[in-house]
Amino acid sequence: MSYSGQFQGQGVPLSPSEEKTWSMLAHVGVFVAAWFAMGFLCPLAIWLIFRYRSDFVRRHALESLNFQISLLIYGVVAAILVLITFGLGVLIVLPLVAIGAVAAIVVIVRATMAASDGRDYRYPFTLRFVK
């Protein structure tokens, strides 16, 4: 009995049902991690664990990871804008953050639904750092 595939980072392929489940969790799991401003942790963990076992899960986890990294960058830029304008930027940033938060929830739900249907999804306004 040979376990060489598992030690080379491949492992046992996932069933279609498992693929959909883990792909959905890559998107919806960010809501749990987002409470700690680390929404990228869930898709990162799923990508690291399943990237060699399922191309479908890898694509969804990467898309979610890149979206979460993009949101983090946009948040840092917003905070810097508020700081360099001595707080006046908050008049612009707060409405944008509110709109962005609602939009982020909508696209995360859409991505989760696409994963549950077995379809790929591309987040809008996403910087794709991880490939």
Side-chain angles (χ1 to χ4, degrees):
M1 190 154 54
S2 172
Y3 295 101
S4 63
Q6 291 177 344
F7 291 109
Q8 293 174 356
Q10 294 181 5
V12 179
L14 299 175
S15 71
S17 173
E18 290 173 321
E19 285 184 330
K20 288 180 182 179
T21 299
W22 285 109
S23 295
M24 289 170 39
L25 284 173
H27 298 290
V28 80
V30 301
F31 290 124
V32 175
W35 287 104
F36 306 105
M38 295 185 185
F40 64 90
L41 288 180
C42 183
L44 175 62
I46 291 172
W47 178 70
L48 288 172
I49 293 168
F50 294 108
R51 65 184 168 181
Y52 297 116
R53 293 179 61 191
S54 168
D55 191 51
F56 183 73
V57 174
R58 182 192 59 78
R59 288 191 312 269
H60 275 274
L62 272 181
E63 193 65 22
S64 181
L65 176 61
N66 281 318
F67 182 66
Q68 293 303 314
I69 291 171
S70 297
L71 288 180
L72 185 62
I73 290 170
Y74 299 149
V76 168
V77 168
I80 291 171
L81 176 65
V82 170
L83 289 175
I84 64 173
T85 61
F86 300 106
L88 291 176
V90 78
L91 298 173
I92 296 170
V93 169
L94 276 182
L96 289 177
V97 167
I99 292 167
V102 171
I105 291 169
V106 169
V107 296
I108 289 169
V109 169
R110 291 185 69 197
T112 304
M113 291 175 16
S116 74
D117 290 340
R119 296 180 288 116
D120 284 334
Y121 184 82
R122 297 285 281 186
Y123 283 97
F125 307 110
T126 299
L127 307 169
R128 290 177 174 78
F129 292 107
V130 184
K131 296 188 188 233

